[in-house]
Amino acid sequence: MQVRWEYLTPPDFEKLAREEKLCILPIGSLERHGEHMPFGTDALVAHEIACRAAQVEPCVVFPPYWFGQVHEAACFSGTVNFPADFTLKMLEMLLDQIASNGFEKILIVNGHGGNSGMLDYYIMSHSDRKVPYTLYTTFLMDGCWTETINHIWDNPDGGHADECETSMMMATVPGTVRLEYQRFAEPILPIHQLTALENVKTGMWWYDLYPEHVSGTPSAATQEKGEITLNAAAEELVKRIRAVKHDSITPKLQKAFHERHDRLGK
Ligand SMILES: [Zn+2]
């Protein structure tokens, strides 16, 4: 079944939108992942998982969206980073455009940890916008589903450009990972110079941990491990898509919230 927005024809697009009413927006960033991985990894992987999930639980999948929060990689080549207000405005305009094509619900599937704080803030700021659709966000790596595939890893430590993420990218677009470029001594551990600032955050927290934006043991990655992970992630995403499709409470709350808000005359 065709689910990719950019591949759909008008009759098939309109049918899918009318019947399922849900569009997925896979979001990532253009960000360094060490020397061995492509910049677009996060959005490409999120998009691939969304497409696999949509084969089971049909919905339209928007093309990979790159323009998230990635200020932590501003000092590297390949990063595209906009000012915060523009990033949020662009996201808002895109969501409105997607909805205007016949969708009552939009699920943002986030593939980049750096977007989590931005999306948490955005979805709250979105609550008092009176729009004819409901917005949901989910971060793929949240939840305990990853525990079911823990046995496949040589070294599960890391979290960025590590064995897991490298494997997923190998399976998402074979040929784009260049393991021969991985030149940092493994396992690549967090540096942690800021231990004196316990429970205090600065904008350098991530750069302090992983100044090369790579972690763990990438050289243990394989395409086969990536396939297993993508399928497990898609299986998990199917459950979340179903929950979003069946959710009738959020739209009702949204309606009641706005009626109350309107009565205030703000
Ligand atoms: Zn990534």
Side-chain angles (χ1 to χ4, degrees), residues 31 33 41-42 160 165:
E31 178 201 10
H33 287 71
T41 292
D42 296 358
H160 184 77
E165 195 171 32

Side-chain angles (χ1 to χ4, degrees), residues 207-223:
Y207 189 61
D208 170 48
L209 296 180
Y210 299 107
E212 294 296 341
H213 279 227
V214 59
S215 67
T217 311
S219 65
T222 67
Q223 189 172 329

Side-chain angles (χ1 to χ4, degrees), residues 11 25 33 52 65 105 117 162 166 168 189 191 224 262:
L25 172 62
H33 287 71
R52 290 181 188 213
Y65 184 63
K105 294 179 176 178
D162 56 354
T166 304
M168 284 199 288
L189 302 171
I191 293 181
E224 193 192 1
D262 287 351

Side-chain angles (χ1 to χ4, degrees), residues 65 103 123 140 153 155 213 253:
Y65 184 63
F103 299 99
I123 202 162
L140 280 173
W153 309 118
N155 173 16
H213 279 227
L253 289 172

Side-chain angles (χ1 to χ4, degrees), residues 26-37:
I27 183 170
S29 63
L30 290 169
E31 178 201 10
R32 175 182 173 87
H33 287 71
E35 294 283 296
H36 68 286
M37 294 187 74

Side-chain angles (χ1 to χ4, degrees), residues 98-207:
I98 290 173
S100 71
N101 280 284
F103 299 99
E104 291 178 9
K105 294 179 176 178
I106 300 173
L107 171 61
I108 298 178
V109 171
N110 180 23
H112 170 55
N115 285 337
S116 296
M118 175 188 83
L119 291 172
D120 283 350
Y121 175 77
Y122 180 74
I123 202 162
M124 293 313 294
S125 76
H126 184 84
S127 335
D128 59 6
R129 291 184 71 231
K130 203 171 175 182
V131 288
Y133 63 97
T134 306
L135 181 63
Y136 304 81
T137 67
T138 189
F139 181 45
L140 280 173
M141 301 314 282
D142 277 348
C144 49
W145 67 271
T146 50
E147 287 166 18
T148 62
I149 54 162
N150 256 349
H151 60 280
I152 70 173
W153 309 118
D154 288 17
N155 173 16
D157 296 336
H160 184 77
D162 56 354
E163 183 185 353
C164 172
E165 195 171 32
T166 304
S167 298
M168 284 199 288
M169 191 60 217
M170 283 172 155
T172 296
V173 191
T176 55
V177 170
R178 303 292 298 268
L179 272 184
E180 67 273 27
Y181 292 166
Q182 205 309 89
R183 57 181 166 79
F184 306 104
E186 297 179 357
I188 303 160
L189 302 171
I191 293 181
H192 274 308
Q193 299 171 85
L194 296 172
T195 45
L197 291 176
E198 202 182 353
N199 296 318
V200 177
K201 204 166 185 175
T202 79
M204 290 293 120
W205 72 273
W206 173 258
Y207 189 61

